[in-house]
Amino acid sequence: MIQKILEISFKKEGDYRPLYQQLESEIIQLICRGILKPGQALPSSRELAHGLKVNRKTVVATYEELNAQGWVETRDRSGVYVSTSLPDTSDREVKENKEKLIRSQQPGYPLIIKQSSGEPNKINPNINVDNSSIPAPIYRIDDGFPDPRIAPIEEIVREYRRFGKSYLTNRFLMYGDERGSYRLRVELAKFLNRTRGLQITEKEILITKGTQMAIYLSAQLLVRLGDTVLVPEPGYRDANLTFKMAGAKLVFIPVDKDGMDVDMIEQICKKKVPRMIYIIPHHHRPTTVTLSAERRMRLMNLASKYGFALLEDDYDFDYHFTSDPLFPLASLDTGGHIIYVGSFCKSIAPGIRIGFMVAPEVVINEAAAIRKLIDRQGERLMEEATAELLSTGEISRHLKKSHKIYHGRLENACRLLDEQLGDYLTFDRPNGGLAIWAAYEKGTSGKIVAANAGKLGLHISDSSNYFFSPNASMPQDFVRIGFCSLNEKEMAEAIDIWRRALTHSRRHNG
């Protein structure tokens, strides 16, 4: 018996739990695997401590805890035994090495599948690439994220700590308004009115965990099974999946240099009015184009005429480099047609999950009721800290500082792309946002290039996450290039790796 217990993988290093808890966990595993059976005697504390080379007090503490939990029972002048009230599990399957229980990779219950987390690649689906040898990347050219190294973290932590030690701390650690911190909503209303031309109060704002939660709540409020939702193509995968999960039938609207095709939207409305249109008017994801003023006016007129909802995703309004940005559609909305969503995830850092939904008060109240069911409320201390930074102008100062830095990184990235990759891809310099949209030369596989780059230490998009229409016809692969999260030196080294990957891909194809 002691030999079986001595075979356990009892480790004193790498596991930061107390030793008695580590030993307790291993003995429970032996019982659950059926190696130790109900009623079976365990070694004495002295014997087991000697065999495992641990202090006897560790074993005594283990047995006491196992006894308290009902795994073992102590018999006077006899010893410690596996509890006779436990079921016999000796016939359970274990792995061949008998170290751990077999865990099923499939659920043992019916599952309603509403979406697939691993949709097949719609671009070059017949290309198979072996990714097994790809190391952890040295650099990552992302989808367009800010650089967390320049985020005002010290200021956020300072305010978080201050509110955590104030006389109001207990109140902030209790349940609060599911719409979010009152003070944050007041300060955010002032900020949005000043920077985006909105005319709102705190009653028209719901604080969310980023833009994605706001999109989800909007879909739950508006979309019923079979409703038509118009979405841009190329577009944003997570938004599309959210609408589909709510039961929507997606209709894909092409995007050109002036944004979504409003002519096509108008023709669709004449035949059947959609329930909702999802639109990214500033720095459209992924193409980075901005919806023209003329199309904005026409789209607003169509919403007024046909009575559909517009879900306006303004995820990175704050960064515009060539001129002042156009105000959001929500600033022109007098008919209550728009739900306006955004966040600080792109202006500060993705991990700062402070987002918002702006809509008529009745919509906000209904959205808050749904939010209460899935998340109850936000993190109140973080919301109070963010409100303080808005009030003192700290966030505005950060935006001015980061705007200058990112503008410089955009110029650097465009120069490097022209000089190093000009023979391999083409792009238009974006007017704003945090990414560049580029097209590979015809015949270049984004998937193969990404795999080759990965082997050299660079993570880039494999071009598979942009087009979603089943009828999409793509003569070439595209790639979205985030230019903000790498500094000038890092971007130069990353693009040099990318150039080598493209050179290798061209030789391979040739």
Side-chain angles (χ1 to χ4, degrees), residues 303-316:
S304 178
K305 179 178 180 179
Y306 291 104
F308 53 76
L310 279 168
L311 177 54
E312 181 176 11
D313 182 351
D314 215 0
Y315 72 102
D316 72 348

Side-chain angles (χ1 to χ4, degrees), residues 331-393:
S331 68
L332 309 172
D333 184 25
T334 58
H337 295 286
I338 294 179
I339 295 178
Y340 180 73
V341 300
S343 76
F344 290 105
C345 301
K346 295 297 187 292
S347 51
I348 299 179
I352 304 298
R353 305 303 297 167
I354 299 290
F356 51 84
M357 172 193 288
V358 176
E361 185 178 354
V362 63
V363 178
I364 292 301
N365 291 340
E366 290 298 319
I370 298 174
R371 189 255 167 87
K372 187 176 182 179
L373 297 177
I374 60 173
D375 194 42
R376 183 55 180 82
Q377 66 184 58
E379 206 282 277
R380 298 186 70 192
L381 286 176
M382 179 59 75
E383 291 181 3
E384 293 298 328
T386 305
E388 182 68 15
L389 296 182
L390 280 171
S391 176
T392 60

Side-chain angles (χ1 to χ4, degrees), residues 168-187:
L168 296 174
T169 298
N170 289 341
R171 191 183 78 183
F172 294 147
L173 295 178
M174 293 296 291
Y175 288 124
D177 192 333
E178 53 268 26
R179 293 172 298 177
S181 157
Y182 173 79
R183 185 166 183 242
L184 177 55
R185 287 185 287 125
V186 168
E187 293 299 331

Side-chain angles (χ1 to χ4, degrees), residues 3 6-7 29 36 227 230 332 334 354 442 449 484 499:
Q3 185 60 37
L6 290 178
E7 291 174 358
Q29 270 283 327
L36 296 178
D227 281 343
L230 275 52
L332 309 172
T334 58
I354 299 290
K442 291 183 179 180
V449 172
C484 294
R499 179 185 55 78

